[in-house]
Amino acid sequence: TIRFGQIPSGRSGHTASLLPGTKEVVVFGGVKNSKWQNSVAVLDTTRWHWTVPKIIGDAPRPRSYHSATAVPSLDNRGCILVVFGGNNGSESMNTVHVLDTSGEDGSWTWSHPKITGTPPSPRTGHCATLLQDNKTILIYGGWDPMEDEDESEGGDETMICGDSFLLNTETWTWTPGPKSESVSHSGSKNFGPKRTGAQSLLVQGNEDSCSRVLVFGGRLPQEKFANDFLNLTVSQQMIDAEPKYKL
């Protein structure tokens, strides 16, 4: 039972991220009754105690159904939480925000790095997976629910994404990610790349230092739902690629 501390208000569409090397879970954002949040709460799972950390800097705009990926620091003295995307009821976002948890005096800091390269389109409900190099985040899928389905030529076919992007958290650059491939298994069907609300996880790569990400399920265009696996293989060449820019 969680008995102590300042328990966050009820919400949905928030993120909960375990800080590497700790037993602390960071909850950020979410929405309740059309009120979007940008607050941070931390749960110490050894004592089941909630706290609100002292944070320097301006927080990102309130949002829900974003991603928040914990990335360990190079010196293993802390980590950063990388927030991407989400929406707030009036627009979807494609900005990146960083919460640094490694302050020597116990304080945390919000920052908003300038990113080079062509970013993903605004989206929410996407997958975000830290690759095995502990610095690159793979963004896959998602959708823009703020896009008017009636005015869109393809209905929700154009609202739901099937692309992927790589974010290097050392150089803060966006580069194109791999195309997804269907994973054949008994009774499975290939539902295609476009999906939102799927789940992803990193699995062991091969001897070429590739990272392999598996994606399961998700909502598809035309209100269909998937129960298949997709595979995304990220080579070192992709990670080292120069950023491309949209003309």
Side-chain angles (χ1 to χ4, degrees):
T1 302
I2 300 175
R3 302 175 181 173
F4 305 102
Q6 186 175 341
I7 301 175
S9 60
R11 65 193 66 193
S12 65
H14 53 282
T15 49
S17 309
L18 178 66
L19 298 184
T22 77
K23 295 185 179 180
E24 294 182 331
V25 176
V26 179
V27 172
F28 170 71
V31 59
K32 177 185 178 183
N33 297 330
S34 297
K35 182 178 180 181
W36 276 262
Q37 308 276 342
N38 64 350
S39 58
V40 174
V42 181
L43 175 63
D44 181 340
T45 61
T46 59
R47 299 182 298 140
W48 296 108
H49 185 273
W50 285 103
T51 58
V52 176
K54 176 185 177 182
I55 302 179
I56 302 168
D58 295 328
R61 287 179 294 165
R63 65 195 63 210
S64 61
Y65 299 100
H66 51 283
S67 59
T69 309
V71 179
S73 63
L74 294 175
D75 58 9
N76 293 318
R77 295 180 60 186
C79 78
I80 58 174
L81 202 63
V82 181
V83 174
F84 169 75
N87 75 355
N88 61 9
S90 60
E91 65 176 318
S92 296
M93 308 170 197
N94 67 344
T95 50
V96 174
H97 310 276
V98 175
L99 181 59
D100 188 342
T101 69
S102 61
E104 293 184 0
D105 60 352
S107 64
W108 294 6
T109 304
W110 277 115
S111 63
H112 315 282
K114 183 178 180 180
I115 315 291
T116 58
T118 300
S121 60
R123 63 190 64 196
T124 185
H126 52 279
C127 299
T129 311
L130 181 66
L131 303 185
Q132 61 191 28
D133 65 358
N134 277 338
K135 68 176 183 179
T136 305
I137 299 171
L138 171 69
I139 301 293
Y140 178 73
W143 74 317
D144 184 359
M146 302 299 102
E147 188 173 314
D148 193 324
E149 184 175 346
D150 295 329
E151 294 181 3
S152 177
E153 293 182 2
D156 65 356
E157 184 75 33
T158 60
M159 299 166 64
I160 297 179
C161 307
D163 49 3
S164 74
F165 295 82
L166 300 173
L167 177 62
N168 185 316
T169 61
E170 288 184 356
T171 61
W172 296 111
T173 55
W174 284 113
T175 53
K179 292 183 178 181
S180 62
E181 300 173 333
S182 177
V183 178
S184 297
H185 59 92
S186 177
S188 68
K189 174 184 176 182
N190 181 5
F191 287 94
K194 290 191 173 185
R195 57 192 68 200
T196 184
Q199 292 295 321
S200 65
L201 74 161
L202 179 69
V203 297
Q204 187 172 359
N206 58 27
E207 296 178 356
D208 298 327
S209 299
C210 292
S211 288
R212 183 183 177 207
V213 174
L214 285 181
V215 175
F216 177 76
R219 178 195 156 190
L220 312 173
Q222 302 176 4
E223 292 291 340
K224 296 179 180 179
F225 294 85
N227 64 348
D228 63 333
F229 275 101
L230 297 177
N231 179 71
L232 294 100
T233 301
V234 183
S235 66
Q236 191 61 45
Q237 184 178 6
M238 287 183 183
I239 292 174
D240 295 338
E242 293 295 323
K244 296 182 179 179
Y245 297 87
K246 188 181 297 183
L247 299 177

